[in-house]
Amino acid sequence: MILRTQTPSATYNLGLKLGNTLKAGDTVCLYGDLGAGKTVLAKGIAKAFGLESRDVASASYTIVAEYETTPPLYHIDLYRLEGGADLEALGLYEYLEGEGVAVIEWADKLPPDAVEKTISVTIKFESEDTREIIIEGTDEKNWNNM
Ligand code: ADP
Ligand code: MG
């Protein structure tokens, strides 16, 4: 599915829509350069879990922000992850294999086999406010009823 948004709130709303399709155990990998809109989209996903934007901080310093929603939401941001960092030691696999929904910014820093079945979202700059958003691994049928 390829979409285009012209504003941050359109990207947020797309995240909300995607968030409403997610089930426990799902993983959403977000790809895109700095400033592409990954966090904006993640905040939209979090809204589907009942979290407001202001409650969802940037997870880049902590790497993982865990929210006690139902199912739990793990907002993971690998921006500051060092190359060769031990994901096992960081406990990341517990989140990826857990009961909750994991949303991962800079997912390209994960080894290719780190997550099994995933939904991936790639955000590309088209112009200052326009983004091309490619969503893969989601069942488009679930989107039409929303
Ligand atoms: P990332 O997490 O990918 O580094 P952020 O979500 O933190 O990026 O920031 C995206 C920036 O781009 C914000 O300042 C936002 O206001 C701006 N922006 C402009 N147009 C869009 C759009 N269509 N979708 C998302 N963000 C947009
Ligand atoms: Mg971000």
Side-chain angles (χ1 to χ4, degrees):
M1 178 166 21
I2 303 185
L3 302 122
R4 216 161 247 104
T5 64
Q6 319 276 355
T7 60
S9 60
T11 299
Y12 177 89
N13 285 326
L14 183 62
L16 171 58
K17 250 183 135 178
L18 172 61
N20 281 322
T21 71
L22 298 173
K23 309 175 301 301
D26 281 347
T27 303
V28 181
C29 290
L30 304 181
Y31 303 93
D33 293 337
L34 195 65
K38 300 179 295 300
T39 299
V40 171
L41 192 102
K43 287 181 174 197
I45 293 174
K47 175 70 177 173
F49 289 74
L51 298 163
E52 298 301 325
S53 265
R54 61 174 179 276
D55 301 327
V56 181
S58 163
S60 53
Y61 285 94
T62 51
I63 300 191
V64 183
E66 185 174 355
Y67 298 94
E68 289 175 3
T69 48
T70 313
L73 177 68
Y74 313 128
H75 181 201
I76 300 172
D77 188 334
L78 302 177
Y79 183 57
R80 285 171 199 286
L81 194 74
E82 307 282 333
D86 187 346
L87 301 180
E88 196 90 51
L90 283 167
L92 266 183
Y93 289 107
E94 278 149 54
Y95 292 105
L96 301 181
E97 287 153 15
E99 298 284 286
V101 168
V103 175
I104 310 169
E105 298 192 39
W106 299 98
D108 33 327
K109 292 201 177 195
L110 287 174
D113 56 350
V115 274
E116 270 177 28
K117 186 187 149 284
T118 58
I119 294 151
S120 66
V121 182
T122 306
I123 310 180
K124 296 179 180 166
F125 288 89
E126 270 199 348
S127 66
E128 180 148 348
D129 292 324
T130 307
R131 304 289 188 272
E132 182 186 72
I133 303 182
I134 302 157
I135 306 180
E136 292 160 295
T138 182
D139 193 346
E140 234 172 301
K141 282 201 301 288
N142 298 336
W143 290 63
N144 298 328
N145 312 323
M146 283 185 283

